[in-house]
Amino acid sequence: MNIQDLIIKDKDQVLLQDVFLSDENREQIDQLIKEHKYLEDLKSYGLPVSNKVLLYGHSGCGKTTTAKAIANSLGKPLIILNLSNVINSRIGETSQNVKQVFDRAARDKGVLFLDEFDQLGKARGDDDNDVGEMRRLVNSIIQQIDYLPEDVLLICATNHIDIIDSALIRRFQFRIQYEMPSNEALNQYYDSLLARFPEELHPKSRRYGISYAEAKDSLFAVVKSNLIKKLDMKGRFL
């Protein structure tokens, strides 16, 4: 399969400062970025550079935006795996597709982002019907990860870390958990989103117990509805 069919082009420029993270997660990500900024200095001291990161936890809590922000902070190209095209009914082709994407990341010295990583790294032995094929795929991914150059950063994301093969999980130097935001964190997020809208468009109430992605969609739906009502009223009096 052509390499262009295996990756997703994404030109979003996300700033790390705009990603809502817990203090602990931000500290780990800052450490990761600094390791890559000072890669040659660390290597001169014989120190290994962490280049394999697993982001796991609730959907819609910032894993994808974090990957984009890290790539932007480092000035590296972001290569996103097109999972739907990579997974093929013939396991040999799937492994070859994955290898092509890893090779592309190595040539570009980029950030390789594998979302829904559990679809590729499912624990060997969980399914009696395809245990042999799954074992070969996981073994192939382990090999690609083990030989990943230090100047390439691999970021994998999953909502289901419990089904990923333990041998794969051990390869990641950073394992960062994303939890549902607290009410306080959501209020800060709502405030940041609403800052560019006049107060008359703001919602009268806020939703809690939801992810950042759900909060954003819910908020914008109300803002759009309020704006449309305002425009309708204005049109009636023209």
Side-chain angles (χ1 to χ4, degrees):
M1 186 177 291
N2 190 291
I3 185 64
Q4 298 303 322
D5 297 324
L6 301 177
I7 60 177
I8 297 173
K9 294 182 179 179
D10 191 308
K11 297 182 178 180
D12 285 352
Q13 295 293 312
V14 179
L15 299 177
L16 189 59
Q17 64 197 48
D18 294 332
V19 182
F20 277 72
L21 299 165
S22 67
D23 291 341
E24 181 182 357
N25 286 0
R26 187 170 296 278
E27 183 177 341
Q28 291 188 78
I29 291 166
D30 284 343
Q31 169 71 17
L32 174 72
I33 290 171
K34 287 177 181 177
E35 285 192 27
H36 282 265
K37 285 186 175 179
Y38 299 116
L39 183 145
E40 294 302 327
D41 299 274
L42 294 176
K43 288 172 66 176
S44 70
Y45 281 90
L47 292 169
V49 176
S50 301
N51 67 336
K52 294 174 279 288
V53 186
L54 181 63
L55 311 178
Y56 68 97
H58 288 280
S59 174
C61 290
K63 297 187 292 295
T64 299
T65 53
T66 297
K68 293 178 181 180
I70 290 173
N72 190 35
S73 295
L74 293 173
K76 286 178 171 287
L78 178 64
I79 300 165
I80 303 176
L81 179 75
N82 188 335
L83 187 65
S84 61
N85 283 352
V86 167
I87 293 180
N88 192 284
S89 58
R90 295 173 59 185
I91 204 71
E93 290 185 15
T94 304
S95 297
Q96 185 59 35
N97 289 342
V98 171
K99 183 179 184 303
Q100 280 194 65
V101 177
F102 270 83
D103 288 346
R104 169 66 178 270
R107 289 194 302 271
D108 291 354
K109 298 181 179 180
V111 174
L112 174 57
F113 180 53
L114 310 185
D115 200 2
E116 298 184 48
F117 187 57
D118 47 280
Q119 295 296 311
L120 291 172
K122 183 180 177 183
R124 293 164 288 186
D126 279 3
D127 191 335
D128 293 336
N129 294 324
D130 65 359
V131 60
E133 293 184 347
M134 202 66 225
R135 182 180 292 112
R136 286 192 290 274
L137 176 57
V138 171
N139 287 342
S140 175
I141 295 172
I142 288 174
Q143 186 178 45
Q144 296 301 320
I145 291 176
D146 285 346
Y147 288 98
L148 193 69
E150 283 189 326
D151 56 3
V152 178
L153 179 57
L154 172 66
I155 303 177
C156 297
T158 180
N159 301 335
H160 307 287
I161 191 173
D162 53 304
I163 66 173
I164 295 177
D165 195 275
S166 59
L168 276 171
I169 293 177
R170 287 197 301 270
R171 262 72 186 175
F172 294 94
Q173 301 106 332
F174 280 87
R175 304 166 201 167
I176 303 177
Q177 183 175 9
Y178 285 69
E179 298 179 340
M180 291 288 280
S182 65
N183 290 359
E184 180 183 2
L186 277 175
N187 275 330
Q188 293 175 359
Y189 186 59
Y190 284 132
D191 289 343
S192 71
L193 293 176
L194 289 169
R196 58 193 171 102
F197 301 112
E199 192 169 341
E200 61 187 313
L201 299 182
H202 292 195
K204 294 181 180 179
S205 62
R206 296 178 172 186
R207 293 181 61 196
Y208 298 99
I210 57 178
S211 69
Y212 287 119
E214 291 172 309
K216 183 177 181 180
D217 289 342
S218 173
L219 183 71
F220 282 177
V222 174
V223 170
K224 286 186 290 185
S225 176
N226 289 342
L227 177 57
I228 290 169
K229 289 177 183 177
K230 178 184 175 181
L231 294 172
D232 276 345
M233 289 294 293
K234 184 178 179 180
R236 291 173 191 172
F237 290 102
L238 287 180

